[in-house]
Amino acid sequence: MEKERCVAVVLAGGRGKRMGKTLAKQYLLIKGKPVLYYSLDIFEKSDIVDEVILVVGKGQIPYCRQEIVEKYQFRKIRAVVEGGAERYHSVWEALHILERENMKKGYIFIHDGARPFIDNGILSRVYSEVCRSRACVAGMPVKDTIKLADEQGYIHMTPRRSQVWQIQTPQVFSADLIIPAYREVMEKETELLEQGIQITDDAMVVENVCKCPVKLVEGSYENIKITTPEDLEIAEIFIGKKVEKIAKR
C-alpha cells in the first residue's frame, strides 16, 4: 500500500523567558549547533516525513532562513511562517496552509522545536499508531508520585501513578481530523476563552472538538523540552553520549 503524505509542523516561535537569554531558546547552541537543528535534522533524514512547515517568532523569518534552513541545507522545509500570540495560533498558521491546499489525506506531525531529542524510534511508533487510531501523542509514564492541590494549596487527591503520563511531542493526527478541529477552535476562540478553556496542546483540540480518543505512545525520557539553563546542561550530556556511541561503531 502506498504511504500517505506526512507533514511535520515544527513550532519554533518561543521566546524562552525562563532561559534568561536575549536569543530565543531554539537558537541557543548545543555542541555548536542550534537546539532547533537537531529535530529538523531527524525530520530531514526520516523516511516517514515528506515535508516540513517551520513556524517561527515575530520577525525571525529572515534569520531562520539564513542561519537554519540555508546554513544546514534542509531541503524538506517547504515554508517558514510567522506564528501567533499563543501556541494554538502558531499551529493554525501552518495548518491553514494545508487547508488551502485541501489536504484531506495523510498525517500531520506537530512538534516543539525546543525538543531536540526526538528520534527515529519515536517517529516510527507514532506513525504506526496514527495509521490505526487517527490521533496519538508521544509521552512517558511519570516516575514520581503526583498530587493534585485544592485552591488553598492542600492535597486534594493522589491519582494512580500508572495512569499519569508526561506528554511530549510529536502529537500526530489524521489531516481530515486535526485541520477541521483547529478551524472550529479558531472560529469559537472567544467563546472558549469566556468558558475558561485554555488550549495548551493539540490533543486538547481533538478531545474537545471531535470527542475523539487520543492514544498515548511511548516517547522517551530523553525527549525533553529545553526550557531552562539546566535543560541545556542536560542536553549537552545527551548529545555527548550520542557522539560517543557513533564513535564506537
Side-chain angles (χ1 to χ4, degrees):
M1 186 173 69
E2 185 178 350
K3 186 183 83 67
E4 296 278 9
R5 177 186 179 191
C6 292
V7 181
V9 172
V10 179
L11 304 172
R15 289 167 289 179
K17 292 180 180 179
R18 283 176 285 181
M19 191 63 71
K21 304 283 187 181
T22 54
L23 188 65
K25 61 185 178 182
Q26 59 270 21
Y27 303 124
L28 297 176
L29 302 182
I30 305 173
K31 296 293 184 183
K33 291 179 179 175
V35 169
L36 180 57
Y37 161 85
Y38 293 97
S39 56
L40 290 176
D41 187 55
I42 291 294
F43 288 126
E44 182 76 16
K45 295 173 180 176
S46 170
D47 293 329
I48 295 171
V49 172
D50 303 301
E51 54 195 282
V52 176
I53 298 177
L54 181 58
V55 187
V56 300
K58 186 176 181 180
Q60 293 178 359
I61 290 179
Y63 178 88
C64 196
R65 283 192 183 280
Q66 182 177 348
E67 296 299 321
I68 302 293
V69 181
E70 295 174 6
K71 183 174 181 178
Y72 296 105
Q73 299 183 327
F74 289 125
R75 306 301 183 193
K76 286 186 182 178
I77 298 178
R78 53 163 296 191
V80 182
V81 299
E82 198 169 283
E86 302 294 338
R87 184 185 189 278
Y88 63 92
H89 294 134
S90 296
V91 174
W92 177 241
E93 289 299 323
L95 295 184
H96 193 38
I97 293 174
L98 302 175
E99 182 189 49
R100 291 196 298 265
E101 295 175 358
N102 200 30
M103 181 179 178
K104 293 182 178 179
K105 290 186 176 182
Y107 304 103
I108 299 172
F109 294 63
I110 304 172
H111 185 64
D112 294 325
R115 288 188 188 272
F117 298 110
I118 183 176
D119 57 33
N120 291 320
I122 296 173
L123 282 182
S124 295
R125 290 192 292 275
V126 293
Y127 177 64
S128 295
E129 185 54 51
V130 78
C131 290
R132 290 190 291 265
S133 61
R134 300 180 69 214
C136 68
V137 301
M140 292 298 288
V142 298
K143 297 179 179 180
D144 300 318
T145 297
I146 302 297
K147 301 288 185 181
L148 300 185
D150 63 18
E151 293 180 357
Q152 287 73 45
Y154 291 94
I155 293 172
H156 171 61
M157 66 173 292
T158 305
R160 292 173 59 186
R161 192 165 60 184
S162 61
Q163 295 180 316
V164 181
W165 282 53
Q166 181 177 348
I167 299 306
Q168 304 173 350
T169 63
Q171 302 194 4
V172 193
F173 310 91
S174 174
D176 63 355
L177 184 71
I178 193 67
I179 295 175
Y182 255 97
R183 161 60 69 186
E184 186 169 339
V185 163
M186 297 308 296
E187 290 173 350
K188 296 181 177 179
E189 181 179 13
T190 301
E191 179 183 333
L192 292 171
L193 292 174
E194 288 175 351
Q195 294 174 4
I197 298 174
Q198 295 182 329
I199 303 296
T200 57
D201 79 340
D202 313 294
M204 288 184 67
V205 174
V206 172
E207 293 165 32
N208 285 283
V209 174
C210 306
K211 309 302 181 185
C212 175
V214 180
K215 183 73 172 179
L216 292 163
V217 179
E218 182 179 310
S220 165
Y221 287 117
E222 289 191 2
N223 187 24
I224 62 172
K225 187 174 184 180
I226 306 299
T227 304
T228 66
E230 292 79 13
D231 296 328
L232 270 180
E233 293 176 8
I234 294 169
E236 291 275 349
I237 295 171
F238 287 168
I239 291 293
K241 285 167 56 180
K242 289 188 176 184
V243 171
E244 288 179 9
K245 286 182 181 179
I246 293 172
K248 290 178 180 178
R249 288 177 184 173

